[in-house]
Amino acid sequence: MTTPSFDAIIVGSGASGSFAARELTAQGLKVLLLEAGREVTPGDFDPARKPKNVPPINIAERALATLGGQPVQSRAAFFRGMLSRFYVNDRDNPYTTPKDAPFVWIRGRQAGGRTHTFGRVLLRWTDDDFKALSRTGRGADWPISYADLEPYYDEVETCLGLYGNTDNVESLPDGKYKAPAKLSPAEEQFKQAVETRWPERHVVAWRSIAPEPSRVLRPMQEAKATGNLTIRYNAIARRVLADGQRATGVEVIDALTGASETLAAEHIVVCASPIESVRLLLNSRSADHPDGLGNSSGHLGRYFMDQVPMLGFGIYPPAKGGWTGDDSQPKDPFYDPSGGIFIPRFDAKGNPAARGEFDFQGGIGRGGSPDDPASLLFFGFGQMLPHADNRVSLDPRRKDRWGIPVPHIRCKMHTEEQDLLARQEATFLETINDAGGQVEFLGSPNGIREWGRGAYPEADPVSRFLFKRFFSQVMVMGAAIHEAGGARMGTDPANSVLNQWGQCWDAPNVWVTDASAFATGGVSGTTLTIMAQTVRACRKLASEKTSSNAAD
């Protein structure tokens, strides 16, 4: 083993890894960051890769990606061929699921992780999310509340430059905004119709960040500028090594050569995303940790979740489409303009019994013909409760290209999620249709329903047939790409993996700060909460390091 020359090793360079690097280097720690994939280059974002005309249904792009080794990644709901290099090769990175519980694991291995493909929408959680378990009688809540994360939400939003508006919505706290976000004329009309008819329902503009011109997230830029950060690309973390209750380093495989080495540090910060982080910890077996590092409770890998997905689209006849006037954010030569509307979990003021543990994100009237009714498209996200039998484990019969056991993922809806999805779909239909719109397609793990012109009426018949034929393989669990849990935090080592700071009960110098630490799955995006909790955890790590140095 190498002599400890680093204060901390960070595993993963995505949303959590970027902020871990920023926080720790800013505190003066010497940090090594391990990225399993390659470094990105300007050529990855060449505008020439962007097609001039994107068909309504991109069957050809998905088929080409499938032939190239991405049969799972090409099933991402909003997959684009121009972004295919930011998704993994499924042949090199397999996983397994039960036959009766399909799961699409959408992921990327390169500098920045999935920050090159996510929607850039960043929303705060509330105590509706952090305290959801006690409210539903499902057990212990998160050991933290909104008040604990609020100052860190402020920091992250300020760092990234969030576009949004002060909406004063109880169930969606306002953030720190760089500039306002605009609604299309059709969205303005829809907002007026919905909020007039249902005062407890709100329609707000997306709260999002613009693409970073340098293609490197600002926190990573700041971390590099300190001189305290060393980055190793194509460095796959195979396992965390530990001596008793203290981790000593990480065994790393070179993705290009297959060579193995061990790197040492005083602290290990795991930011690889829930499934990969759990896989790493489970694979870190030793005499002291026979069932995996952090698994003395038997809870490592359990209570894995993703949000319940739903896709709906149609038209909004009261308004015309074709609007391209959203200049809220600077134009980007590679990425499409960002913007749209969000219908958060309903306020309790109207009818608490009908609050809804789901929300909807989409857009109305953006693009299309100015002579036609505004088109609408929404994705719905429902709250999955934590169930012990939904879990990530290691498949003893299969290994990836580098000889590491692959994850076996079970994430299946229970009765609670089936009932929730029925309410989610019914509420979406009511909200759109009773506000003057026409839902023409609604699809979810429960199947497809069509009205009027049906799915993609402007597409050719063959593409429409193939879309419906393969939809059941796309809209399954995992489609929301908001996976969480597996190494949940809590107050009792007997029923959790981490404490309130994300420290592993069994090895306190191991910190897990991605969404695997989540005790619940929420109804809105996980990314902002991942970032905020990472800053909070790493500030605690740095303070412990400083205190330890002072004591020495």
Side-chain angles (χ1 to χ4, degrees):
M1 183 177 295
T2 60
T3 301
S5 56
F6 298 100
D7 297 307
I9 292 176
I10 299 171
V11 181
S13 67
S16 53
S18 294
F19 271 96
R22 174 182 183 261
E23 181 61 33
L24 295 178
T25 57
Q27 299 286 346
L29 276 66
K30 297 296 182 182
V31 175
L32 172 63
L33 186 145
L34 303 177
E35 167 51 53
R38 62 186 177 84
E39 185 174 11
V40 298
T41 68
D44 291 319
F45 307 91
D46 184 355
R49 293 177 54 82
K50 187 175 181 179
K52 293 182 179 179
N53 298 304
V54 181
I57 307 174
N58 60 340
I59 296 295
E61 287 186 340
R62 294 173 187 267
L64 187 62
T66 297
L67 292 173
Q70 296 179 307
V72 176
Q73 305 311 303
S74 62
R75 284 152 54 191
F78 300 106
F79 179 85
R80 294 285 301 277
M82 60 183 267
L83 299 173
S84 61
R85 62 184 56 198
F86 298 125
Y87 296 91
V88 300
N89 183 296
D90 294 309
R91 294 171 186 160
D92 293 339
N93 300 276
Y95 65 98
T96 60
T97 65
K99 291 183 179 180
D100 64 343
F103 186 91
V104 291
W105 183 18
I106 307 302
R107 51 191 163 140
R109 277 191 169 184
Q110 63 275 319
R114 291 190 300 201
T115 62
H116 302 297
T117 56
F118 86 131
R120 301 191 300 276
V121 176
L122 299 176
L123 303 168
R124 296 189 180 203
W125 280 19
T126 71
D127 283 335
D128 288 315
D129 302 293
F130 299 121
K131 306 302 177 185
L133 296 180
S134 59
R135 196 173 67 252
T136 57
R138 299 281 306 187
D141 287 312
W142 288 59
I144 61 174
S145 66
Y146 176 74
D148 294 307
L149 279 189
E150 184 176 14
Y152 303 101
Y153 280 139
D154 290 352
E155 285 191 40
V156 170
E157 291 165 343
T158 300
C159 172
L160 294 176
L162 189 66
Y163 292 81
N165 307 313
T166 301
D167 298 304
N168 297 312
V169 174
E170 176 192 349
S171 60
L172 188 67
D174 288 309
K176 298 292 184 182
Y177 305 120
K178 174 180 181 178
K182 293 183 178 180
L183 298 177
S184 73
E187 290 163 352
E188 292 279 10
Q189 284 187 249
F190 178 74
K191 174 181 173 69
Q192 179 68 28
V194 169
E195 294 181 350
T196 298
R197 185 176 182 88
W198 299 283
E200 76 280 9
R201 302 183 192 183
H202 298 275
V203 177
V204 304
W206 284 11
R207 298 170 184 177
S208 62
I209 59 174
E212 175 53 52
S214 72
R215 309 311 182 195
V216 178
L217 275 185
R218 187 172 300 277
M220 188 62 76
Q221 294 179 42
E222 295 181 8
K224 289 180 176 181
T226 65
N228 292 327
L229 180 66
T230 301
I231 303 177
R232 289 274 300 269
Y233 297 105
N234 296 303
I236 301 172
R238 177 170 187 162
R239 59 193 180 114
V240 177
L241 303 176
D243 183 3
Q245 287 194 308
R246 188 163 188 83
T248 56
V250 179
E251 182 184 331
V252 175
I253 297 176
D254 187 300
L256 302 180
T257 68
S260 176
E261 65 178 307
T262 299
L263 304 170
E266 294 184 38
H267 294 269
I268 310 299
V269 184
V270 181
C271 304
S273 81
I275 297 169
E276 286 285 20
S277 291
V278 170
R279 177 194 188 193
L280 173 63
L281 294 174
L282 285 171
N283 201 49
S284 301
R285 295 190 180 100
S286 67
D288 294 317
H289 305 277
D291 298 315
L293 184 59
N295 200 22
S296 62
S297 66
H299 283 241
L300 180 62
R302 294 191 179 275
Y303 303 103
F304 177 72
M305 303 160 280
D306 194 22
Q307 291 165 1
V308 180
M310 183 217 80
L311 181 66
F313 41 82
I315 56 175
Y316 190 65
K320 298 294 184 181
W323 187 69
T324 58
D326 193 344
D327 57 359
S328 305
Q329 299 179 7
K331 289 185 178 180
D332 189 273
F334 184 74
Y335 287 102
D336 291 334
S338 179
I341 53 177
F342 189 77
I343 305 174
R345 176 193 277 120
F346 305 149
D347 278 355
K349 303 171 193 173
N351 178 6
R355 187 177 183 85
E357 298 303 328
F358 44 77
D359 52 32
F360 307 103
Q361 179 179 311
I364 304 178
R366 293 174 179 263
S369 170
D371 299 322
D372 294 333
S375 61
L376 62 87
L377 184 149
F378 282 87
F379 201 100
F381 304 92
Q383 176 178 265
M384 171 173 260
L385 293 172
H387 303 282
D389 58 348
N390 282 337
R391 63 185 298 193
V392 176
S393 55
L394 296 180
D395 189 326
R397 295 166 297 181
R398 290 198 68 181
K399 295 182 179 180
D400 66 14
R401 177 182 173 184
W402 300 275
I404 303 173
V406 307
H408 181 74
I409 305 166
R410 186 190 192 278
C411 186
K412 188 174 183 179
M413 290 193 294
H414 287 221
T415 301
E416 294 92 335
E417 287 76 41
Q418 292 285 359
D419 292 344
L420 175 127
L421 182 54
R423 296 194 304 273
Q424 185 175 327
E425 292 184 331
T427 302
F428 176 74
L429 290 170
E430 176 188 63
T431 303
I432 300 297
N433 293 337
D434 290 5
Q438 295 176 19
V439 177
E440 297 180 315
F441 174 88
L442 183 63
S444 75
N446 283 343
I448 288 175
R449 285 185 279 172
E450 293 183 279
W451 301 266
R453 301 177 305 164
Y456 291 110
E458 69 278 20
D460 64 271
V462 174
S463 294
R464 294 183 69 186
F465 169 79
L466 292 173
F467 169 77
K468 288 184 280 189
R469 169 67 177 78
F470 292 105
F471 186 81
S472 62
Q473 297 179 29
V474 172
M475 201 52 53
V476 297
M477 294 309 299
I481 321 181
H482 290 162
E483 64 266 24
R488 65 176 181 173
M489 59 170 61
T491 58
D492 186 348
N495 58 25
S496 59
V497 178
L498 313 169
N499 69 11
Q500 64 164 320
W501 301 103
Q503 286 176 282
C504 182
W505 291 113
D506 297 348
N509 68 328
V510 174
W511 308 69
V512 183
T513 72
D514 58 28
S516 57
F518 286 19
T520 54
V523 300
S524 59
T526 56
T527 307
L528 184 62
T529 300
I530 291 169
M531 293 170 166
Q533 171 58 14
T534 295
V535 175
R536 178 176 175 271
C538 289
R539 193 157 298 167
K540 173 68 171 176
L541 186 164
S543 70
E544 289 195 0
K545 170 72 174 168
T546 301
S547 298
S548 175
N549 289 348
D552 293 342

